[in-house]
Amino acid sequence: MAPALHRQPVISTIGARAFLLEAPGHFDLAPQRRIWALAQALRQWDDLSEIVPGMTNLLAIFKATPADPDAVTVRLRDAWGRAESIDIKGKTVEIGVIYGGEHAIDLAALCDRSGLTDSEVVRIHHEGTYTVFALGSAPGFGYLHGLDPRIHMPRKTVPSLKMTKGCVTIGGMQTGVATLTGPNGWNSIGFADLQMFDPAAAVPAIMAPGDTVRFLPERIEL
């Protein structure tokens, strides 16, 4: 087990019935695998109404307000200590991308920060293999792990007010595809003409935790 995972998680309350457990260590696959294992274990708890695994964290929502919140914290820490890492074997999702062009509004800034050319940024991005850690923020939006550190880019201090649905974006050490048009603080480097979420479909989101994602360059406009 990675040394960081020997440390205790941080557990805090969200309202009266919800407890947020944050895994120790960095945003990486090892703590996420343990979060997945913890979620599996907590599904056996009859007093929980909902379990929401996030990015190296987990939200546990109880059916009723616990009489002793400290006892819940101890119980969660004990469950974390006993959780064994699991690897979810998901499907492979291939996403065709138009790199550059009108939607790549932040590609130049990323090049300036990284010292790379636009061609190098595009190549590094599409050569990566990414793992879906969690869905959230917007319906069907997948938080993807595996972005090459050379193209990490902080989120904007002033968000774009109307980023188009389908923009392929980078936010910090993550990448993803915008599923809604609207304000967005991530950095757009291209566009994917793909319906990421369809509420009428049997499985509304095309991504799920544990899936592998590959970006395929359909066209490069630099």
Side-chain angles (χ1 to χ4, degrees):
M1 185 184 299
L5 296 185
H6 288 292
R7 302 202 303 266
Q8 289 292 330
V10 174
I11 300 174
S12 52
T13 55
I14 308 293
R17 295 189 296 116
F19 290 73
L20 179 69
L21 181 146
E22 298 175 86
H26 299 293
F27 173 73
D28 210 345
L29 194 52
Q32 188 65 35
R33 285 171 170 161
R34 199 161 169 194
I35 286 290
W36 290 337
L38 179 65
Q40 189 177 79
L42 264 55
R43 291 189 182 101
Q44 308 304 314
W45 292 16
D46 293 335
D47 51 350
L48 286 176
S49 65
E50 190 173 3
I51 300 163
V52 186
M55 298 179 298
T56 65
N57 61 46
L58 181 143
L59 185 67
I61 304 173
F62 286 80
K63 295 175 182 176
T65 301
D68 187 350
D70 290 339
V72 172
T73 297
V74 171
R75 190 178 169 199
L76 286 168
R77 283 211 173 97
D78 180 63
W80 170 261
R82 289 184 284 105
E84 297 288 341
S85 296
I86 61 173
D87 191 10
I88 300 177
K89 298 296 184 182
K91 62 188 178 297
T92 296
V93 179
E94 295 184 339
I95 299 175
V97 180
I98 301 170
Y99 284 101
E102 63 176 312
H103 295 292
I105 56 176
D106 304 296
L107 182 55
L110 198 159
C111 292
D112 288 343
R113 178 180 175 84
S114 65
L116 299 168
T117 67
D118 49 10
S119 296
E120 288 171 326
V121 169
V122 167
R123 177 184 56 78
I124 291 168
H125 187 267
H126 77 69
E127 286 182 351
T129 299
Y130 304 94
T131 302
V132 181
F133 270 21
L135 300 184
S137 173
F141 180 78
Y143 289 95
L144 308 182
H145 172 266
L147 185 67
D148 191 300
R150 291 175 291 175
I151 56 173
H152 288 180
M153 180 75 170
R155 301 182 190 187
K156 303 171 188 175
T157 54
V158 179
S160 300
L161 294 181
K162 196 174 181 181
M163 187 175 288
T164 304
K165 178 177 74 171
C167 283
V168 176
T169 57
I170 289 174
M173 60 183 67
Q174 301 172 67
T175 188
V177 181
T179 60
L180 296 174
T181 295
N184 195 315
W186 289 39
N187 304 279
S188 181
I189 62 171
F191 181 77
D193 187 12
L194 180 66
Q195 184 75 7
M196 303 296 295
F197 184 82
D198 180 1
V203 180
I206 69 167
M207 292 184 188
D211 285 352
T212 296
V213 175
R214 297 295 308 272
F215 292 101
L216 307 179
E218 287 187 345
R219 192 162 73 249
I220 299 176
E221 301 177 359
L222 303 177

